[in-house]
Amino acid sequence: MQVTFSTAALPKTGSIVVPVFEDGKKSKAYADVDAKTDGAIERGVKAADYKPAKGKMLEIVSPTGIGNARVLLVGAGQSKDFGPLDAEALGGAAIAQLLGTREKTAIFALAGFSAKKIGDKELAARIAHGAKMRTYRFDKYRTKEEKSDKPALTKIAIHSSVANAKAAYESYSKIGDGVFMTRDLVSEPANVLYPDTFAKRCEKLSALGVKVKVLGVTEMKKLGMGSLLGVGQGSDKPSKLVAMEWMGGKKGDAPVCFVGKGVTFDTGGISIKPAAGMGDMKWDMGGAGAVTGAMAAIAGRKAKANVVGVIGLVENMPDGKAQRPGDVVKSMSGQTIEVLNTDAEGRLVLADALWWTQETYKPETVIDLATLTGAIMVSLAHEFGGIFTVDDKLAKKLEDAGIATGDKLWRMPLTKTHYEMIKSDIADMQNIGGKGAGSSTAAAFLGRFIKDNVSWAHLDIAGMAWNEKDMPTMPKGGSGYGVRLLDEFVRANYE
Ligand code: BES
Ligand code: MN
Ligand code: ZN
């Protein structure tokens, strides 16, 4: 998808998108298009009794006086409330509408469309970003789709009266690349994306200046990662650990570390899952996908910060070699774990990934992302990721990044009680709690692998990695949740 910015007159072909506020006066772009069409726009608005509430659209096909295929009015709601995320949603909503037509070019006519909460340049950039985000499509396996059934749109042309909006868009373009990379990873089926092929995709980030290190089973055995390796031992696909280093900050400064759960398929193992919906478990690597996409975004826009992404990659399969419920494994930290349920595998992977990260990089701050528990969806559905931390300052920083980007978070409890709930009769801990608070006991388990003086937050994104229905800036499917969150967290606190 090509995205261009211009201050020139509107092109004579393509569909024109005109945003309209519910309150204030009409923009210059609106007045111009209405004049050129000899009042056809105003007449259309009256005839349809169109009220430009947020996201509400009116399509005026082939109006007189201009050669353009259509004018699409897009409601922007109240101008006083209109902010950056509204601009993105507006761009995305318009694109969704045009994707349903044979249109090739979307022309956003923004001259004179301004709001108090956001500068004109940023507004243009955010509309472009939201529009681009909505064009994502995972169609590589549709070999029989007619060309006429594929969207025709190839160009987003932003026309405004501000020069240099393109510069404001540059970093969003890189963040968008990261989001698309995550969506691709999350969408891939598990016969294509498994630990080895996932690691190979990470290696592609070296083109952006990321140093990528891949550890195999032999190395992990040497390091004593019995917890991570226990999960992968029932699979034919060898487990991997990948580290992606972006050192764009001050030399010698400890990096901030992101750690992701990368279970490329979760059958549950011997504690096997029910058949219904098991296919969803191809995206049980959503945490690792988010970390990888975030590294692409951060490196892509050359962030002036030291950031390392680490992902633990395994496939959880039932097999003659698989671990059994009741097995005791020894983690790299030296702590032993009684594996009472092989389906509580993400925490076993993260236990070693977190420990290795702290040993290797000596970070002050560690954030892990994982599609860790079904229970988090009972609490938060698909509206928020759950954040678990005892560090109020870190919680605030992450929550703020969530509000700024729309990758929203909600604080969840993590207390001594949750740590007590995972005490084992025969080992240092067990991998499941008792009844209730399943997301918090999972977090407490991870907490057992965090060193003193390390500031840590766990984000349970099980409800967020996959989008069940179309949203303004993301079509149904892999959401890319977490990429923008982590990118913004770095931008706001480390650059
Ligand atoms: N990957 C799942 C959690 C999950 C469920 C993510 C649904 C996305 C959608 C995780 O490995 C798991 O199986 N968790 C168990 C833990 C339980 C055995 C303590 C769960 O949530 O049921
Ligand atoms: Mn599981
Ligand atoms: Zn899982």
Side-chain angles (χ1 to χ4, degrees):
M1 189 66 48
Q2 198 193 349
V3 181
T4 62
F5 291 84
S6 167
T7 52
L10 301 182
K12 293 191 164 44
T13 58
S15 291
I16 302 175
V17 179
V18 185
V20 193
F21 282 124
E22 216 170 352
D23 43 20
K25 60 177 179 16
K26 305 281 167 31
S27 68
K28 178 175 181 303
Y30 181 99
D32 285 354
V33 174
D34 190 48
K36 266 195 270 178
T37 58
D38 197 21
I41 307 304
E42 275 290 278
R43 282 197 301 281
V45 164
K46 288 230 169 68
D49 194 23
Y50 173 66
K51 302 272 185 299
K54 213 186 261 184
K56 200 104 170 47
M57 286 180 264
L58 179 67
E59 186 173 349
I60 299 161
V61 180
S62 191
T64 182
I66 55 175
N68 305 80
R70 62 177 61 67
V71 172
L72 183 64
L73 303 183
V74 188
Q78 302 292 324
S79 63
K80 65 173 187 350
D81 303 331
F82 192 84
L85 295 180
D86 300 301
E88 291 180 7
L90 186 146
I95 289 300
Q97 180 76 15
L98 294 180
L99 284 172
T101 71
R102 300 313 299 156
E103 183 54 74
K104 292 197 186 78
T105 307
I107 305 158
F108 283 87
L110 304 183
F113 179 74
S114 303
K116 270 220 180 74
K117 278 190 176 177
I118 181 172
D120 287 355
K121 245 187 245 182
E122 184 70 8
L123 191 152
R126 291 292 190 117
I127 285 183
H129 182 54
K132 168 84 185 289
M133 288 302 94
R134 186 55 192 264
T135 64
Y136 179 80
R137 202 164 188 258
F138 188 76
D139 56 6
K140 63 194 276 200
Y141 299 116
R142 298 192 196 185
T143 67
K144 299 286 186 222
E145 194 175 37
E146 295 290 340
K147 216 175 162 206
S148 58
D149 287 334
K150 290 193 191 283
L153 199 78
T154 57
K155 189 172 171 188
I156 296 166
I158 308 286
H159 283 253
S160 68
S161 31
V162 282
N164 235 350
K166 188 179 186 338
Y169 177 68
E170 252 358 279
S171 67
Y172 293 111
S173 161
K174 303 299 177 191
I175 294 165
D177 291 345
V179 170
F180 277 24
M181 181 179 193
T182 301
R183 288 179 183 174
D184 281 345
L185 289 166
V186 165
S187 304
E188 281 289 3
N191 62 330
V192 173
L193 195 80
Y194 44 89
D196 183 57
T197 51
F198 195 139
K200 292 216 159 74
R201 294 221 189 171
C202 296
E203 276 166 354
K204 291 202 174 133
L205 295 188
S206 58
L208 299 174
V210 177
K211 202 191 249 175
V212 184
K213 294 178 179 156
V214 182
L215 273 61
V217 170
T218 319
E219 286 155 295
M220 288 192 278
K221 262 192 192 144
K222 262 191 213 143
L223 289 162
M225 295 192 181
S227 183
L228 183 152
L229 289 170
V231 177
Q233 77 189 30
S235 169
D236 282 344
K237 312 278 190 225
S239 303
K240 306 272 176 196
L241 187 90
V242 180
M244 295 162 272
E245 304 172 359
W246 170 256
M247 296 299 186
K250 254 204 233 123
K251 224 180 151 186
D253 275 6
V256 54
C257 290
F258 302 140
V259 180
K261 166 181 171 180
V263 176
T264 58
F265 196 79
D266 181 14
T267 63
I270 297 300
S271 313
I272 198 160
K273 288 183 179 294
M278 202 201 276
D280 284 351
M281 287 299 104
K282 73 169 184 179
W283 50 261
D284 205 19
M285 33 54 68
V291 168
T292 306
M295 293 310 297
I298 287 160
R301 63 176 184 78
K302 299 194 166 47
K304 290 190 173 54
N306 296 336
V307 187
V308 175
V310 175
I311 57 177
L313 299 171
V314 303
E315 186 182 50
N316 188 21
M317 297 292 269
D319 179 77
K321 293 200 198 72
Q323 70 181 342
R324 292 146 293 257
D327 282 5
V328 174
V329 295
K330 188 167 188 175
S331 67
M332 184 184 172
S333 74
Q335 300 177 97
T336 57
I337 304 157
E338 187 184 10
V339 180
L340 287 179
N341 189 322
T342 65
D343 196 13
E345 86 297 340
R347 61 199 77 180
L348 297 170
V349 173
L350 287 172
D352 281 336
L354 284 166
W355 194 261
W356 182 84
T357 301
Q358 293 165 93
E359 290 273 287
T360 309
Y361 298 104
K362 313 279 184 240
E364 282 161 23
T365 306
V366 175
I367 295 156
D368 78 77
L369 287 87
T371 50
L372 205 62
T373 66
I376 198 70
M377 288 183 266
V378 177
S379 308
L380 304 175
H382 308 290
E383 184 71 11
F384 300 93
I387 172 169
F388 302 78
T389 181
V390 292
D391 183 335
D392 294 344
K393 281 193 189 129
L394 181 60
K396 174 85 167 65
K397 287 174 186 169
L398 283 162
E399 284 168 338
D400 285 350
I403 291 163
T405 59
D407 284 356
K408 292 187 288 182
L409 289 168
W410 196 268
R411 185 99 177 254
M412 298 289 289
L414 172 58
T415 69
K416 216 171 144 232
T417 316
H418 303 118
Y419 283 87
E420 276 158 15
M421 286 168 81
I422 53 167
K423 279 189 176 156
S424 159
D425 289 337
I426 67 161
D428 297 334
M429 71 195 90
Q430 59 188 41
N431 78 327
I432 51 172
K435 271 217 177 90
S439 303
S440 290
T441 51
F445 182 93
L446 301 178
R448 291 283 304 253
F449 299 89
I450 300 299
K451 298 187 176 193
D452 292 345
N453 304 319
V454 171
S455 170
W456 159 71
H458 156 59
L459 312 184
D460 193 334
I461 65 166
M464 304 308 289
W466 193 263
N467 219 1
E468 287 298 342
K469 58 177 200 309
D470 285 343
M471 305 279 265
T473 59
M474 44 184 163
K476 180 179 173 189
S479 68
Y481 179 93
V483 173
R484 301 193 58 189
L485 178 77
L486 296 180
D487 175 80
E488 172 63 19
F489 173 74
V490 167
R491 197 199 60 71
N493 299 292
Y494 294 90
E495 293 182 64

